[in-house]
mmCIF file of all heavy atoms in Angstrom:
data_model
loop_
_atom_site.group_PDB
_atom_site.id
_atom_site.type_symbol
_atom_site.label_atom_id
_atom_site.label_comp_id
_atom_site.label_asym_id
_atom_site.label_seq_id
_atom_site.Cartn_x
_atom_site.Cartn_y
_atom_site.Cartn_z
ATOM 1 N N THR A 431 5.258 9.305 -27.848
ATOM 2 C CA THR A 431 6.437 8.797 -27.318
ATOM 3 C C THR A 431 6.126 7.950 -26.090
ATOM 4 O O THR A 431 5.456 8.469 -25.131
ATOM 5 C CB THR A 431 7.427 9.923 -27.034
ATOM 6 O OG1 THR A 431 7.712 10.649 -28.179
ATOM 7 C CG2 THR A 431 8.767 9.265 -26.548
ATOM 8 N N ASP A 432 6.536 6.699 -26.011
ATOM 9 C CA ASP A 432 6.255 5.818 -24.878
ATOM 10 C C ASP A 432 4.781 5.787 -24.469
ATOM 11 O O ASP A 432 4.358 5.816 -23.371
ATOM 12 C CB ASP A 432 6.991 6.372 -23.611
ATOM 13 C CG ASP A 432 8.542 6.338 -23.708
ATOM 14 O OD1 ASP A 432 8.951 5.389 -24.485
ATOM 15 O OD2 ASP A 432 9.240 7.205 -23.247
ATOM 16 N N GLY A 433 3.909 5.779 -25.514
ATOM 17 C CA GLY A 433 2.475 5.576 -25.403
ATOM 18 C C GLY A 433 1.738 6.877 -25.027
ATOM 19 O O GLY A 433 0.557 6.743 -24.614
ATOM 20 N N GLY A 434 2.392 8.003 -25.072
ATOM 21 C CA GLY A 434 1.668 9.240 -24.722
ATOM 22 C C GLY A 434 2.044 10.422 -25.585
ATOM 23 O O GLY A 434 2.969 10.290 -26.480
ATOM 24 N N TYR A 435 1.476 11.568 -25.412
ATOM 25 C CA TYR A 435 1.693 12.756 -26.128
ATOM 26 C C TYR A 435 2.199 13.910 -25.255
ATOM 27 O O TYR A 435 1.839 13.945 -24.073
ATOM 28 C CB TYR A 435 0.410 13.204 -26.869
ATOM 29 C CG TYR A 435 -0.059 12.290 -27.898
ATOM 30 C CD1 TYR A 435 -1.195 11.493 -27.551
ATOM 31 C CD2 TYR A 435 0.479 12.183 -29.134
ATOM 32 C CE1 TYR A 435 -1.735 10.641 -28.481
ATOM 33 C CE2 TYR A 435 -0.043 11.315 -30.054
ATOM 34 C CZ TYR A 435 -1.083 10.471 -29.749
ATOM 35 O OH TYR A 435 -1.614 9.666 -30.746
ATOM 36 N N PRO A 436 3.045 14.765 -25.776
ATOM 37 C CA PRO A 436 3.476 15.939 -25.007
ATOM 38 C C PRO A 436 2.289 16.950 -24.868
ATOM 39 O O PRO A 436 1.420 17.013 -25.772
ATOM 40 C CB PRO A 436 4.643 16.518 -25.871
ATOM 41 C CG PRO A 436 4.216 16.129 -27.227
ATOM 42 C CD PRO A 436 3.587 14.779 -27.105
ATOM 43 N N ALA A 437 2.285 17.801 -23.838
ATOM 44 C CA ALA A 437 1.309 18.769 -23.680
ATOM 45 C C ALA A 437 1.438 19.895 -24.782
ATOM 46 O O ALA A 437 0.465 20.479 -25.218
ATOM 47 C CB ALA A 437 1.305 19.501 -22.369
ATOM 48 N N HIS A 438 2.659 20.120 -25.137
ATOM 49 C CA HIS A 438 2.933 21.178 -26.139
ATOM 50 C C HIS A 438 3.557 20.555 -27.415
ATOM 51 O O HIS A 438 4.275 19.545 -27.295
ATOM 52 C CB HIS A 438 3.730 22.325 -25.585
ATOM 53 C CG HIS A 438 3.200 22.988 -24.425
ATOM 54 N ND1 HIS A 438 2.236 23.945 -24.503
ATOM 55 C CD2 HIS A 438 3.498 22.840 -23.035
ATOM 56 C CE1 HIS A 438 1.879 24.280 -23.327
ATOM 57 N NE2 HIS A 438 2.597 23.690 -22.417
ATOM 58 N N PRO A 439 3.441 21.136 -28.547
ATOM 59 C CA PRO A 439 4.049 20.568 -29.769
ATOM 60 C C PRO A 439 5.540 20.365 -29.691
ATOM 61 O O PRO A 439 6.216 21.292 -29.165
ATOM 62 C CB PRO A 439 3.570 21.570 -30.947
ATOM 63 C CG PRO A 439 3.284 22.770 -30.179
ATOM 64 C CD PRO A 439 2.695 22.428 -28.852
ATOM 65 N N ASP A 440 5.999 19.242 -30.107
ATOM 66 C CA ASP A 440 7.441 19.130 -30.100
ATOM 67 C C ASP A 440 8.078 19.413 -31.380
ATOM 68 O O ASP A 440 9.286 19.313 -31.515
ATOM 69 C CB ASP A 440 7.819 17.624 -29.673
ATOM 70 C CG ASP A 440 7.093 16.634 -30.503
ATOM 71 O OD1 ASP A 440 6.550 16.923 -31.565
ATOM 72 O OD2 ASP A 440 7.090 15.478 -30.065
ATOM 73 N N ALA A 441 7.333 19.904 -32.351
ATOM 74 C CA ALA A 441 7.835 20.407 -33.557
ATOM 75 C C ALA A 441 6.813 21.393 -34.133
ATOM 76 O O ALA A 441 5.605 21.103 -34.125
ATOM 77 C CB ALA A 441 8.237 19.320 -34.519
ATOM 78 N N THR A 442 7.167 22.392 -34.689
ATOM 79 C CA THR A 442 6.352 23.424 -35.459
ATOM 80 C C THR A 442 6.906 23.747 -36.745
ATOM 81 O O THR A 442 8.125 23.564 -36.972
ATOM 82 C CB THR A 442 6.132 24.677 -34.601
ATOM 83 O OG1 THR A 442 7.417 25.366 -34.354
ATOM 84 C CG2 THR A 442 5.486 24.350 -33.249
#
Side-chain angles (χ1 to χ4, degrees):
T431 305
D432 298 327
Y435 296 101
H438 301 281
D440 50 16
T442 60

